[in-house]
Amino acid sequence: EPHRATPPGFKVTVKVKLLDMEGRRLPSEVEAHDSINQISKGIHERFLINRGKFAKKLQQKIETAGLFIE
């Protein structure tokens, strides 16, 4: 089914179903509906991260670029 336009002001409802836990990978099935039609459908993937490791790599990248961010 094709994606459909939704006018401003319409309520949009999104349903998400976690399909599996594949290590750090979390694939989910996503459907969005307005009050008339299904407007979108697809698969979305999220990944679990180690917050400390991520922050350290981000800080290293900032320093490499010569930026100062608090």
Side-chain angles (χ1 to χ4, degrees):
E1 187 168 316
H3 297 335
R4 299 177 191 254
T6 298
F10 272 48
K11 180 178 178 181
V12 174
T13 303
V14 179
K15 295 180 184 178
V16 180
K17 178 181 176 184
L18 180 62
L19 299 175
D20 200 359
M21 290 184 71
E22 301 168 359
R24 297 183 317 119
R25 184 174 166 259
L26 305 170
S28 299
E29 183 178 76
V30 181
E31 289 185 19
H33 300 260
D34 61 24
S35 56
I36 308 295
N37 300 97
Q38 177 179 323
I39 57 174
S40 188
K41 181 179 179 180
I43 301 294
H44 179 72
E45 293 183 350
R46 300 290 297 202
F47 289 84
L48 298 175
I49 63 166
N50 177 308
R51 191 180 216 172
K53 185 176 176 182
F54 179 82
K56 184 177 178 181
K57 286 185 177 183
L58 185 60
Q59 185 60 40
Q60 289 171 342
K61 188 171 188 175
I62 290 168
E63 290 170 5
T64 299
L67 301 174
F68 176 74
I69 299 175
E70 288 188 38

